[in-house]
């Protein structure tokens, strides 16, 4: 399935989806949501909303830093997961980075998150592991 991916300023949609999707991981790891930090970071991100048939189904947030594009958020609504939308969003991020002349994608993911399998399948490799979080990178050729 190929979503339509459009720039967004819909912080409320993004925050609600992220909080919902990450709640179990935060609880398991003893982390707490920081709304002020989210508000600050939101202003620094290039954010995109994913749509299927005009229905918002996900969010992708990117940030360019030096020689890499960082995927700060990739969240798909639970009822739309495992349908290729995450793969499509990663492809979009790669294309976006390539157009900017950037040859690396980076992300951080909870070690207990099943999305690790998607990232590894898409060519991301673990750089570091700390506090239950893995930093991963994929070179764009």
């Amino acid at each position: 399935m190929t979503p339509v991916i459009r720039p967004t300023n819909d912080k409320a949609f993004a925050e609600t989806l992220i909080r919902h999707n990450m709640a179990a991981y935060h609880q398991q790891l003893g982390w707490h949501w920081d709304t002020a930090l989210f508000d600050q970071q939101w202003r620094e991100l290039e954010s995109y909303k994913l749509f299927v048939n005009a229905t918002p189904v996900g969010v992708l947030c990117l940030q360019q830093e030096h020689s890499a594009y960082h995927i700060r958020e990739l969240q798909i609504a639970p009822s739309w997961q495992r349908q290729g939308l995450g793969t499509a969003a990663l492809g979009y991020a790669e294309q976006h980075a390539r157009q900017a002349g950037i040859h690396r994608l980076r992300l951080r993911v909870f070690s207990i998150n099943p999305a690790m399998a998607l990232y590894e399948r898409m060519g991301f490799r673990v750089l570091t592991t700390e506090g239950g979080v893995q930093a991963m990178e994929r070179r764009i050729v």
Side-chain angles (χ1 to χ4, degrees), residues 38-133:
F38 179 78
D39 289 345
Q40 174 189 346
Q41 291 175 343
W42 178 259
R43 290 188 294 273
E44 301 169 359
L45 302 175
E46 298 173 41
S47 299
Y48 302 88
K49 193 184 287 188
L50 286 72
F51 295 88
V52 173
N53 298 327
T55 300
V57 298
V59 66
L60 171 67
C61 299
L62 304 173
Q63 185 175 37
Q64 184 178 346
E65 290 182 358
H66 307 292
S67 63
Y69 250 101
H70 291 257
I71 299 169
R72 296 294 183 197
E73 293 292 343
L74 173 53
Q75 301 291 334
I76 306 297
S79 62
W80 291 92
Q81 292 175 4
R82 300 189 179 275
Q83 298 182 45
L85 300 173
T87 300
L90 290 172
Y92 183 89
E94 178 180 328
Q95 179 185 19
H96 191 73
R98 186 178 284 124
Q99 288 174 345
I102 303 294
H103 299 285
R104 291 177 190 194
L105 284 176
R106 291 186 179 151
L107 57 83
R108 291 169 32 109
V109 61
F110 290 119
S111 302
I112 57 176
N113 189 329
M116 284 283 305
L118 166 64
Y119 300 137
E120 289 171 344
R121 193 169 58 250
M122 295 293 294
F124 284 85
R125 298 294 171 244
V126 174
L127 297 174
T128 62
T129 302
E130 183 179 330
V133 176

Side-chain angles (χ1 to χ4, degrees), residues 22-47:
M22 296 292 102
Y25 304 118
H26 287 177
Q27 183 177 22
Q28 189 172 350
L29 295 169
W31 290 26
H32 299 281
W33 182 261
D34 185 338
T35 298
L37 179 61
F38 179 78
D39 289 345
Q40 174 189 346
Q41 291 175 343
W42 178 259
R43 290 188 294 273
E44 301 169 359
L45 302 175
E46 298 173 41
S47 299

